[in-house]
Amino acid sequence: MDERVARQLLEKNRQDYNKIVEKFSNTRKFSWREFEDFLQYVNEGDTVLDAGCGNGRLIELLSKKNIEYTGIDYSNKLIDVARKQHPGHNFTVGDITTLPFSNNKFNVIFCIATLHHIPGQKLRQQTIQGISRILKKNGYLIMTNWNLWQKMWWPMLIQNALQKITGQSQLDWQDILKPWKNEQGEIITKRYIHSFRPGELKKLLNKNGLIILQQYYTKKGLPANWLTGYNLVTIARKA
């Protein structure tokens, strides 16, 4: 993907989330069932980064441990919601493709439903390189990405593929623009999402010194496969 197009899509996603902030936040009040499995990687006293924190809902889970929490998100309006709902916690507006933190700062980094919004291989490489830089040795990256290989998303993937073949799409293969609709069914905006394959993520993480410990699909907290799972979960450790 052309870097100019990638930057435009990145900014578009920021504006999109600012546009839908209220309804989006209302649908993200509670942590998903599979989040409970992530607690085993968090120890008392850890420094934890929530990269792409949204409205800060992960705090509900992490409050079970005595940790030093930092949340970062590109959407200033989501950060406003997070600060209002979770006073006393550290939230900052920022771009996870250029993480503004010192080297080897965090024991654990969460990246929940965020990396799939980063357009283009170059920006995704930059993001994971930055995550690896600020993660301590033997620290954990805990990541989920939406699984768009379910049958319901095939029409969008096929549509983009056909548009690329005919020169009508500047997106990459495996990309879609997912509609967000209001209560009346009207499309408010279309968010950029990349459809990851497990091998693609493994290659990206390994290139940046992150070794995958577990990778699996889940559906409402239960094990699933690539055709039925809602999320692709990736647990990695910095070598």
Side-chain angles (χ1 to χ4, degrees):
M1 179 185 292
D2 181 83
E3 187 172 359
R4 177 185 56 83
V5 174
R7 287 290 176 186
Q8 288 174 347
L9 287 169
L10 193 65
E11 173 60 19
K12 179 184 181 304
N13 264 2
R14 187 189 71 81
Q15 293 177 7
D16 288 345
Y17 274 101
N18 277 347
K19 186 182 298 184
I20 65 174
V21 59
E22 183 175 355
K23 186 175 179 182
F24 176 82
S25 185
N26 287 338
T27 65
R28 301 297 191 278
K29 290 185 176 180
F30 307 103
S31 57
W32 295 331
R33 163 63 188 83
E34 54 259 45
F35 287 7
E36 293 289 336
D37 298 332
F38 302 158
L39 269 181
Q40 63 184 296
Y41 300 100
V42 181
N43 295 314
E44 297 288 327
D46 277 353
T47 51
V48 176
L49 177 66
D50 189 358
C53 64
N55 63 2
R57 65 171 171 159
L58 200 57
I59 287 176
E60 177 188 348
L61 172 75
L62 296 176
S63 63
K64 298 177 182 179
K65 298 284 182 80
N66 180 26
I67 62 162
E68 182 183 330
Y69 171 93
T70 300
I72 184 171
D73 201 281
Y74 205 18
S75 167
N76 57 296
K77 291 190 176 181
L78 277 172
I79 289 294
D80 287 343
V81 173
R83 287 170 175 162
K84 183 177 180 180
Q85 293 183 350
H86 307 284
H89 290 280
N90 182 23
F91 292 102
T92 185
V93 178
D95 179 358
I96 71 165
T97 67
T98 53
L99 288 161
F101 304 107
S102 59
N103 295 353
N104 308 307
K105 179 176 176 61
F106 296 100
N107 297 103
V108 183
I109 296 178
F110 287 89
C111 190
I112 304 299
T114 298
L115 188 65
H116 59 231
H117 285 313
I118 304 299
Q121 292 182 7
K122 183 175 181 179
L123 287 182
R124 289 193 288 270
Q125 157 62 20
Q126 188 173 309
T127 300
I128 296 300
Q129 186 178 41
I131 285 174
S132 181
R133 176 184 63 80
I134 65 175
L135 191 61
K136 293 181 180 180
K137 184 176 181 180
N138 295 320
Y140 294 104
L141 168 62
I142 300 171
M143 182 165 54
T144 70
N145 288 287
W146 294 344
N147 174 32
L148 300 187
W149 297 108
Q150 303 165 79
K151 287 184 178 180
M152 70 177 77
W153 303 116
W154 289 2
M156 290 186 194
L157 290 168
I158 292 171
Q159 180 185 35
N160 181 56
L162 291 174
Q163 288 176 337
K164 279 194 69 63
I165 291 171
T166 57
Q168 301 176 64
S169 174
Q170 292 180 300
L171 303 181
D172 283 339
W173 304 102
Q174 302 169 219
D175 289 353
I176 67 168
L177 293 176
K178 182 179 182 293
W180 179 278
K181 300 179 181 180
N182 62 16
E183 292 81 358
Q184 291 73 43
E186 301 168 328
I187 295 176
I188 302 301
T189 190
K190 294 182 178 182
R191 294 171 294 164
Y192 169 88
I193 304 173
H194 178 70
S195 311
F196 281 107
R197 302 184 307 273
E200 179 184 4
L201 278 174
K202 181 179 180 180
K203 182 178 179 181
L204 177 60
L205 268 58
N206 286 174
K207 182 179 179 180
N208 291 284
L210 297 165
I211 308 303
I212 291 181
L213 304 179
Q214 294 187 67
Q215 196 167 42
Y216 53 91
Y217 291 95
T218 63
K219 180 178 181 178
K220 297 182 178 180
L222 298 175
N225 59 44
W226 69 277
L227 278 174
T228 61
Y230 291 167
N231 294 292
L232 174 60
V233 176
T234 304
I235 311 291
R237 185 175 61 204
K238 183 176 177 179

